[in-house]
Amino acid sequence: MNAKLSAGLLAAALLITGCGGGNGGSAQNGSSTPKVGLITKTETNPFFVKMKEGAQKAAQANGMELMSAAGKFDGDNASQITAIENMVAAGVKGILITPSDTKAIVPAIKKARDAGVLVIALDTPTDPQDATDALFATDNLKAGELIGQYAKAAMAGKPAKIATLDLAPGVTVGQLRHDGFLKGFGIKEGDPSVVCSQDTRGDQAKGQTAMENCLQKAPDINVVYTINEPAALGAYTALKAKGREKDVLIVSVDGGCTGVKAVQSGQIAATSQQYPLKMAEDGVKAVSEFAKSGKKVSGYTDTGVTLITDKSVSGVEAKDTAFGLANCWG
């Protein structure tokens, strides 16, 4: 989710690779090995790298051939549409997708489902959610709620001056995490304790700029919510430049290895960890079952979220960074 959005690159450039398990053949040599497709937002984001790793592992374990595809940047809907079309033409039994544009991708998904392909969204639900057969994802509202509860408890009654460093307008994951944080903190949208809100697209450099802007607007900020850990590290850099890094509480979401190490070092107070490898593994298993029996998975499957911190607070369940590092990605 933290890949840079490069406007104007709506080319249908994508990378498609076939990764067979063991001696799994390809369409060219006439193999009947069932195929499963994985379409991520980018190839480079560590979150999606781990997701692909999980899919490859599960494909091998279940005797399937993995086809993978991705756009060059987060938001490249055209490449995802092309990938769906190519995978359907190649005869995949199912497609796992992290949709870049949750609305614009829906017609292409419908065509795939009409052709008999099982389509499962990973991490990010489509809009509407039932445009796919199923969703395997973090409960992003809960992820936000956990860090909101943590921040509220950590403030111990001290008046909060909050900056929210968000994702981008209209992106489901970002909105759910934002809403969850407010809920966990016990406030509603528009509450005066939120003194600054900026979009970062989950990017570290944009996170730093956003924090600089917020500090100009409200120098007494003492709580920072960030959409993900790159944005959190950008915020930390801006705070450190002002000598504020030790008296501002930063909370975040994702649980990548870099982020967990930032919690361990004290740059981030707490983060909600999610599990992309499990999303992909469970998705491939569901497609394998569909290929064997015709049984379709449906609805939402929660792949888990855990609050990670070394400074626990009363009333909020958490694991330490040793657990976080053992289960991180990237």
Side-chain angles (χ1 to χ4, degrees):
M1 287 195 330
N2 62 331
K4 293 181 179 178
L5 182 64
S6 304
L9 286 177
L10 280 174
L14 73 161
L15 176 65
I16 291 190
T17 55
C19 307
N23 294 320
S26 64
Q28 284 88 343
N29 61 24
S31 170
S32 60
T33 303
K35 299 182 181 69
V36 56
L38 172 69
I39 303 171
T40 54
K41 296 176 184 179
T42 72
E43 284 275 329
T44 55
N45 186 322
F47 185 88
F48 300 125
V49 171
K50 180 58 70 172
M51 188 175 279
K52 184 175 176 181
E53 180 185 315
Q56 287 173 329
K57 180 180 176 182
Q60 287 184 330
N62 288 276
M64 302 192 77
E65 179 184 342
L66 178 70
M67 297 182 70
S68 65
K72 286 189 174 182
F73 57 90
D74 192 334
D76 187 1
N77 185 63
S79 287
Q80 292 201 323
I81 291 173
T82 301
I84 290 172
E85 292 170 347
N86 289 345
M87 289 177 179
V88 171
V92 295
K93 294 294 184 181
I95 294 172
L96 314 175
I97 183 168
T98 59
S100 281
D101 188 317
T102 54
K103 287 185 178 180
I105 198 66
V106 168
I109 289 174
K110 185 180 186 303
K111 287 181 183 178
R113 293 177 72 190
D114 289 347
V117 176
L118 179 70
V119 181
I120 299 172
L122 303 183
D123 177 56
T124 305
T126 51
D127 185 6
Q129 185 172 312
D130 63 5
T132 55
D133 290 285
L135 168 67
F136 289 6
T138 306
D139 183 339
N140 281 291
L141 187 72
K142 182 180 178 183
E145 193 172 352
L146 283 171
I147 57 171
Q149 290 171 346
Y150 177 89
K152 180 70 171 180
M155 290 300 286
K158 182 181 177 181
K161 301 288 185 180
I162 302 168
T164 69
L165 303 192
D166 298 305
L167 186 59
V171 181
T172 312
V173 168
Q175 193 62 52
L176 286 170
R177 292 182 184 183
H178 174 95
D179 291 348
F181 170 79
L182 296 182
K183 181 181 177 183
F185 205 89
I187 57 178
K188 295 183 178 180
E189 195 70 53
D191 190 282
S193 62
V194 179
V195 295
C196 185
S197 294
Q198 296 265 309
D199 292 331
T200 68
R201 296 201 176 274
D203 177 74
Q204 186 164 337
K206 289 182 174 64
Q208 181 176 340
T209 300
M211 191 72 248
E212 290 167 351
N213 292 339
C214 283
L215 287 170
Q216 287 180 354
K217 180 181 179 182
D220 56 348
I221 285 167
N222 54 15
V223 177
V224 179
Y225 153 81
T226 67
I227 178 63
N228 65 3
E229 292 144 3
L233 290 170
Y236 177 84
T237 300
L239 287 164
K240 188 174 182 180
K242 295 289 187 181
R244 297 287 317 285
E245 76 277 11
K246 292 183 179 179
D247 57 71
V248 177
L249 183 81
I250 302 176
V251 293
S252 195
V253 179
D254 261 358
C257 296
T258 299
V260 175
K261 288 173 184 175
V263 173
Q264 190 177 49
S265 69
Q267 294 170 296
I268 301 172
T271 193
S272 287
Q273 185 171 62
Q274 55 179 340
Y275 305 102
L277 189 145
K278 179 173 174 55
M279 293 176 200
E281 286 184 339
D282 288 355
V284 171
K285 288 175 186 176
V287 174
S288 176
E289 178 62 31
F290 173 64
K292 292 172 184 174
S293 68
K295 182 181 177 182
K296 286 188 174 183
V297 68
S298 63
Y300 167 59
T301 298
D302 184 353
T303 52
V305 62
T306 307
L307 184 73
I308 303 296
T309 184
D310 284 333
K311 297 177 180 178
S312 58
V313 295
S314 178
V316 186
E317 186 177 346
K319 299 282 189 181
D320 63 14
T321 54
F323 176 92
L325 289 170
N327 291 278
C328 67
W329 41 268

